[in-house]
Short mmCIF file of all heavy atoms in Angstrom, two decimals:
data_model
loop_
_atom_site.label_atom_id
_atom_site.label_comp_id
_atom_site.label_asym_id
_atom_site.label_seq_id
_atom_site.Cartn_x
_atom_site.Cartn_y
_atom_site.Cartn_z
N ARG Z 376 125.58 72.71 82.84
CA ARG Z 376 126.12 73.77 81.97
C ARG Z 376 127.64 73.79 82.03
O ARG Z 376 128.31 73.98 81.03
CB ARG Z 376 125.56 75.13 82.38
CG ARG Z 376 124.20 75.45 81.80
CD ARG Z 376 123.15 74.44 82.16
NE ARG Z 376 121.85 74.71 81.62
CZ ARG Z 376 120.79 75.05 82.35
NH1 ARG Z 376 120.87 75.14 83.65
NH2 ARG Z 376 119.64 75.26 81.76
N TRP Z 377 128.18 73.56 83.21
CA TRP Z 377 129.63 73.53 83.34
C TRP Z 377 130.19 72.34 82.56
O TRP Z 377 131.22 72.45 81.88
CB TRP Z 377 130.00 73.44 84.83
CG TRP Z 377 131.48 73.52 85.09
CD1 TRP Z 377 132.41 74.18 84.34
CD2 TRP Z 377 132.18 72.92 86.18
NE1 TRP Z 377 133.66 74.05 84.90
CE2 TRP Z 377 133.55 73.27 86.04
CE3 TRP Z 377 131.80 72.15 87.27
CZ2 TRP Z 377 134.52 72.85 86.94
CZ3 TRP Z 377 132.78 71.75 88.17
CH2 TRP Z 377 134.12 72.09 88.00
N MET Z 378 129.49 71.20 82.63
CA MET Z 378 129.95 70.00 81.94
C MET Z 378 129.75 70.10 80.42
O MET Z 378 130.29 69.30 79.66
CB MET Z 378 129.20 68.76 82.46
CG MET Z 378 129.58 68.36 83.87
SD MET Z 378 131.36 68.02 84.02
CE MET Z 378 131.94 69.50 84.83
N ILE Z 379 128.95 71.06 79.98
CA ILE Z 379 128.88 71.32 78.54
C ILE Z 379 130.11 72.12 78.12
O ILE Z 379 130.74 71.83 77.10
CB ILE Z 379 127.59 72.10 78.18
CG1 ILE Z 379 126.37 71.19 78.32
CG2 ILE Z 379 127.67 72.66 76.77
CD1 ILE Z 379 125.05 71.91 78.21
N VAL Z 380 130.46 73.12 78.92
CA VAL Z 380 131.49 74.08 78.50
C VAL Z 380 132.91 73.51 78.66
O VAL Z 380 133.67 73.43 77.67
CB VAL Z 380 131.35 75.40 79.30
CG1 VAL Z 380 132.49 76.35 78.96
CG2 VAL Z 380 130.02 76.06 79.00
N SER Z 381 133.27 73.13 79.87
CA SER Z 381 134.69 72.88 80.15
C SER Z 381 135.27 71.59 79.58
O SER Z 381 136.37 71.62 79.01
CB SER Z 381 134.94 72.96 81.65
OG SER Z 381 134.89 74.31 82.03
N PRO Z 382 134.63 70.41 79.71
CA PRO Z 382 135.26 69.18 79.21
C PRO Z 382 135.60 69.24 77.72
O PRO Z 382 136.64 68.74 77.29
CB PRO Z 382 134.21 68.10 79.51
CG PRO Z 382 133.45 68.62 80.66
CD PRO Z 382 133.38 70.10 80.43
N THR Z 383 134.72 69.87 76.92
CA THR Z 383 135.00 69.97 75.49
C THR Z 383 136.28 70.75 75.25
O THR Z 383 137.11 70.36 74.42
CB THR Z 383 133.81 70.66 74.77
OG1 THR Z 383 132.73 69.74 74.71
CG2 THR Z 383 134.18 71.07 73.36
N LEU Z 384 136.45 71.84 75.97
CA LEU Z 384 137.66 72.64 75.78
C LEU Z 384 138.90 71.89 76.29
O LEU Z 384 140.01 72.10 75.79
CB LEU Z 384 137.51 73.98 76.52
CG LEU Z 384 136.39 74.88 75.98
CD1 LEU Z 384 136.18 76.09 76.89
CD2 LEU Z 384 136.70 75.34 74.56
N ALA Z 385 138.69 71.01 77.28
CA ALA Z 385 139.82 70.25 77.83
C ALA Z 385 140.22 69.08 76.93
O ALA Z 385 141.36 68.63 76.97
CB ALA Z 385 139.45 69.71 79.21
N MET Z 386 139.28 68.57 76.12
CA MET Z 386 139.55 67.36 75.32
C MET Z 386 139.15 67.59 73.87
O MET Z 386 138.34 66.86 73.31
CB MET Z 386 138.72 66.18 75.87
CG MET Z 386 139.26 65.58 77.13
SD MET Z 386 140.63 64.48 76.81
CE MET Z 386 139.83 63.12 76.00
N SER Z 387 139.73 68.59 73.25
CA SER Z 387 139.34 68.91 71.88
C SER Z 387 140.13 68.06 70.88
O SER Z 387 140.72 67.05 71.24
CB SER Z 387 139.54 70.40 71.66
OG SER Z 387 138.98 70.78 70.44
N TYR Z 388 140.17 68.49 69.62
CA TYR Z 388 140.78 67.67 68.57
C TYR Z 388 142.30 67.48 68.73
O TYR Z 388 142.83 66.44 68.44
CB TYR Z 388 140.49 68.29 67.19
CG TYR Z 388 139.06 68.10 66.77
CD1 TYR Z 388 138.18 69.18 66.73
CD2 TYR Z 388 138.59 66.84 66.41
CE1 TYR Z 388 136.87 69.01 66.35
CE2 TYR Z 388 137.27 66.67 66.03
CZ TYR Z 388 136.42 67.75 66.00
OH TYR Z 388 135.12 67.57 65.63
N GLU Z 389 142.99 68.53 69.16
CA GLU Z 389 144.45 68.46 69.20
C GLU Z 389 144.91 67.93 70.57
O GLU Z 389 144.70 68.58 71.59
CB GLU Z 389 145.05 69.86 68.99
CG GLU Z 389 144.55 70.57 67.74
CD GLU Z 389 145.02 69.90 66.47
OE1 GLU Z 389 145.86 68.97 66.53
OE2 GLU Z 389 144.53 70.29 65.39
N PRO Z 390 145.59 66.76 70.60
CA PRO Z 390 146.00 66.19 71.89
C PRO Z 390 146.91 67.12 72.70
O PRO Z 390 146.85 67.13 73.92
CB PRO Z 390 146.73 64.91 71.51
CG PRO Z 390 146.21 64.56 70.16
CD PRO Z 390 145.90 65.85 69.48
N PHE Z 391 147.73 67.94 71.99
CA PHE Z 391 148.65 68.81 72.76
C PHE Z 391 147.91 69.92 73.50
O PHE Z 391 148.50 70.62 74.32
CB PHE Z 391 149.74 69.38 71.85
CG PHE Z 391 149.24 70.34 70.80
CD1 PHE Z 391 149.14 71.70 71.06
CD2 PHE Z 391 148.87 69.88 69.54
CE1 PHE Z 391 148.68 72.58 70.10
CE2 PHE Z 391 148.41 70.76 68.58
CZ PHE Z 391 148.31 72.10 68.85
N THR Z 392 146.62 70.08 73.17
CA THR Z 392 145.86 71.11 73.91
C THR Z 392 145.11 70.53 75.10
O THR Z 392 144.45 71.25 75.83
CB THR Z 392 144.81 71.78 72.99
OG1 THR Z 392 143.82 70.81 72.64
CG2 THR Z 392 145.43 72.38 71.75
N HIS Z 393 145.22 69.22 75.28
CA HIS Z 393 144.45 68.60 76.36
C HIS Z 393 144.96 69.08 77.73
O HIS Z 393 146.08 68.79 78.11
CB HIS Z 393 144.55 67.07 76.28
CG HIS Z 393 143.77 66.51 75.13
ND1 HIS Z 393 143.59 65.17 74.92
CD2 HIS Z 393 143.12 67.12 74.10
CE1 HIS Z 393 142.88 64.97 73.82
NE2 HIS Z 393 142.58 66.14 73.31
N THR Z 394 144.13 69.80 78.39
CA THR Z 394 144.51 70.32 79.71
C THR Z 394 143.24 70.65 80.50
O THR Z 394 142.23 71.03 79.92
CB THR Z 394 145.38 71.59 79.58
OG1 THR Z 394 145.55 72.14 80.86
CG2 THR Z 394 144.73 72.64 78.70
N VAL Z 395 143.32 70.47 81.78
CA VAL Z 395 142.15 70.76 82.62
C VAL Z 395 142.34 72.13 83.24
O VAL Z 395 143.42 72.48 83.68
CB VAL Z 395 142.02 69.69 83.72
CG1 VAL Z 395 140.90 70.05 84.69
CG2 VAL Z 395 141.76 68.34 83.09
N MET Z 396 141.25 72.91 83.26
CA MET Z 396 141.33 74.22 83.90
C MET Z 396 140.39 74.23 85.11
O MET Z 396 139.23 73.88 84.99
CB MET Z 396 140.90 75.30 82.91
CG MET Z 396 141.01 76.73 83.42
SD MET Z 396 139.59 77.31 84.36
CE MET Z 396 138.38 77.57 83.09
N TRP Z 397 140.93 74.59 86.24
CA TRP Z 397 140.07 74.78 87.42
C TRP Z 397 139.96 76.27 87.66
O TRP Z 397 140.97 76.98 87.67
CB TRP Z 397 140.65 74.08 88.65
CG TRP Z 397 140.80 72.60 88.45
CD1 TRP Z 397 141.96 71.91 88.33
CD2 TRP Z 397 139.75 71.63 88.32
NE1 TRP Z 397 141.72 70.57 88.12
CE2 TRP Z 397 140.36 70.37 88.11
CE3 TRP Z 397 138.37 71.70 88.34
CZ2 TRP Z 397 139.64 69.20 87.94
CZ3 TRP Z 397 137.64 70.53 88.17
CH2 TRP Z 397 138.28 69.30 87.97
N ALA Z 398 138.75 76.73 87.82
CA ALA Z 398 138.52 78.17 87.95
C ALA Z 398 139.18 78.72 89.21
O ALA Z 398 139.25 78.03 90.23
CB ALA Z 398 137.03 78.44 87.99
N SER Z 399 139.64 79.96 89.13
CA SER Z 399 140.25 80.60 90.30
C SER Z 399 139.16 81.24 91.16
O SER Z 399 137.98 81.26 90.80
CB SER Z 399 141.23 81.67 89.85
OG SER Z 399 140.50 82.78 89.37
N TRP Z 400 139.59 81.80 92.28
CA TRP Z 400 138.63 82.44 93.20
C TRP Z 400 137.88 83.58 92.53
O TRP Z 400 136.74 83.86 92.87
CB TRP Z 400 139.34 82.93 94.47
CG TRP Z 400 140.29 84.07 94.24
CD1 TRP Z 400 141.61 83.98 93.94
CD2 TRP Z 400 139.98 85.47 94.27
NE1 TRP Z 400 142.16 85.23 93.78
CE2 TRP Z 400 141.18 86.16 93.98
CE3 TRP Z 400 138.83 86.22 94.50
CZ2 TRP Z 400 141.25 87.56 93.91
CZ3 TRP Z 400 138.90 87.61 94.44
CH2 TRP Z 400 140.10 88.26 94.16
N VAL Z 401 138.53 84.21 91.53
CA VAL Z 401 137.88 85.36 90.88
C VAL Z 401 136.60 84.89 90.18
O VAL Z 401 135.51 85.47 90.34
CB VAL Z 401 138.84 86.02 89.86
CG1 VAL Z 401 138.15 87.18 89.15
CG2 VAL Z 401 140.10 86.49 90.55
N GLN Z 402 136.72 83.80 89.41
CA GLN Z 402 135.52 83.27 88.74
C GLN Z 402 134.48 82.80 89.75
O GLN Z 402 133.29 83.10 89.61
CB GLN Z 402 135.91 82.09 87.84
CG GLN Z 402 136.59 82.50 86.55
CD GLN Z 402 136.53 81.37 85.52
OE1 GLN Z 402 135.45 81.00 85.08
NE2 GLN Z 402 137.69 80.84 85.13
N TRP Z 403 134.93 82.09 90.76
CA TRP Z 403 133.97 81.56 91.74
C TRP Z 403 133.24 82.68 92.47
O TRP Z 403 132.04 82.60 92.69
CB TRP Z 403 134.68 80.64 92.75
CG TRP Z 403 134.94 79.26 92.22
CD1 TRP Z 403 136.14 78.70 91.94
CD2 TRP Z 403 133.95 78.28 91.88
NE1 TRP Z 403 135.98 77.42 91.44
CE2 TRP Z 403 134.65 77.14 91.40
CE3 TRP Z 403 132.56 78.24 91.91
CZ2 TRP Z 403 134.00 75.99 90.96
CZ3 TRP Z 403 131.91 77.09 91.49
CH2 TRP Z 403 132.63 75.98 91.02
N PHE Z 404 133.98 83.72 92.86
CA PHE Z 404 133.35 84.83 93.59
C PHE Z 404 132.27 85.50 92.73
O PHE Z 404 131.20 85.85 93.22
CB PHE Z 404 134.41 85.87 94.01
CG PHE Z 404 135.04 85.57 95.35
CD1 PHE Z 404 135.11 84.27 95.83
CD2 PHE Z 404 135.57 86.59 96.12
CE1 PHE Z 404 135.70 83.99 97.06
CE2 PHE Z 404 136.15 86.33 97.36
CZ PHE Z 404 136.22 85.02 97.82
N ILE Z 405 132.59 85.67 91.45
CA ILE Z 405 131.61 86.34 90.57
C ILE Z 405 130.40 85.44 90.36
O ILE Z 405 129.25 85.92 90.36
CB ILE Z 405 132.29 86.78 89.25
CG1 ILE Z 405 133.22 87.95 89.54
CG2 ILE Z 405 131.25 87.14 88.20
CD1 ILE Z 405 133.97 88.50 88.37
N VAL Z 406 130.65 84.14 90.23
CA VAL Z 406 129.52 83.21 90.06
C VAL Z 406 128.64 83.22 91.32
O VAL Z 406 127.41 83.36 91.24
CB VAL Z 406 130.03 81.79 89.77
CG1 VAL Z 406 128.92 80.77 89.91
CG2 VAL Z 406 130.63 81.72 88.38
N ILE Z 407 129.27 83.11 92.47
CA ILE Z 407 128.50 83.10 93.73
C ILE Z 407 127.79 84.44 93.93
O ILE Z 407 126.63 84.50 94.33
CB ILE Z 407 129.44 82.78 94.92
CG1 ILE Z 407 129.94 81.34 94.80
CG2 ILE Z 407 128.73 82.99 96.25
CD1 ILE Z 407 131.10 81.01 95.72
N GLY Z 408 128.51 85.51 93.60
CA GLY Z 408 127.93 86.85 93.76
C GLY Z 408 126.71 87.05 92.87
O GLY Z 408 125.81 87.83 93.22
N SER Z 409 126.67 86.35 91.74
CA SER Z 409 125.51 86.53 90.85
C SER Z 409 124.23 86.05 91.53
O SER Z 409 123.15 86.59 91.27
CB SER Z 409 125.74 85.80 89.52
OG SER Z 409 125.69 84.39 89.70
N PHE Z 410 124.35 85.07 92.41
CA PHE Z 410 123.17 84.61 93.14
C PHE Z 410 122.70 85.69 94.12
O PHE Z 410 121.51 85.88 94.34
CB PHE Z 410 123.48 83.29 93.88
CG PHE Z 410 123.60 82.13 92.93
CD1 PHE Z 410 124.80 81.84 92.31
CD2 PHE Z 410 122.50 81.34 92.63
CE1 PHE Z 410 124.91 80.80 91.41
CE2 PHE Z 410 122.60 80.29 91.73
CZ PHE Z 410 123.81 80.01 91.12
N GLY Z 411 123.69 86.40 94.69
CA GLY Z 411 123.35 87.51 95.57
C GLY Z 411 122.67 88.64 94.80
O GLY Z 411 121.69 89.22 95.26
N TRP Z 412 123.18 88.92 93.61
CA TRP Z 412 122.62 89.98 92.76
C TRP Z 412 121.18 89.64 92.40
O TRP Z 412 120.27 90.47 92.55
CB TRP Z 412 123.50 90.11 91.52
CG TRP Z 412 122.93 90.90 90.36
CD1 TRP Z 412 122.52 90.40 89.17
CD2 TRP Z 412 122.73 92.31 90.30
NE1 TRP Z 412 122.07 91.41 88.36
CE2 TRP Z 412 122.19 92.61 89.03
CE3 TRP Z 412 122.95 93.37 91.18
CZ2 TRP Z 412 121.87 93.89 88.61
CZ3 TRP Z 412 122.64 94.66 90.76
CH2 TRP Z 412 122.10 94.90 89.50
N PHE Z 413 120.96 88.40 91.93
CA PHE Z 413 119.61 87.98 91.57
C PHE Z 413 118.69 88.04 92.80
O PHE Z 413 117.58 88.57 92.74
CB PHE Z 413 119.61 86.56 90.99
CG PHE Z 413 118.24 85.95 90.95
CD1 PHE Z 413 117.32 86.35 90.01
CD2 PHE Z 413 117.85 85.00 91.90
CE1 PHE Z 413 116.03 85.82 90.00
CE2 PHE Z 413 116.57 84.47 91.89
CZ PHE Z 413 115.66 84.87 90.93
N GLY Z 414 119.20 87.48 93.90
CA GLY Z 414 118.38 87.42 95.12
C GLY Z 414 117.98 88.82 95.59
O GLY Z 414 116.83 89.06 95.98
#
Side-chain angles (χ1 to χ4, degrees):
Chain Z
R376 276 58 181 248
W377 185 29
M378 289 302 103
I379 289 170
V380 174
S381 286
T383 287
L384 296 172
M386 284 281 290
S387 189
Y388 287 109
E389 307 292 352
F391 66 90
T392 67
H393 288 187
T394 172
V395 174
M396 184 275 286
W397 300 110
S399 74
W400 68 270
V401 178
Q402 284 199 64
W403 280 113
F404 272 27
I405 288 179
V406 167
I407 293 166
S409 70
F410 288 86
W412 166 250
F413 165 75

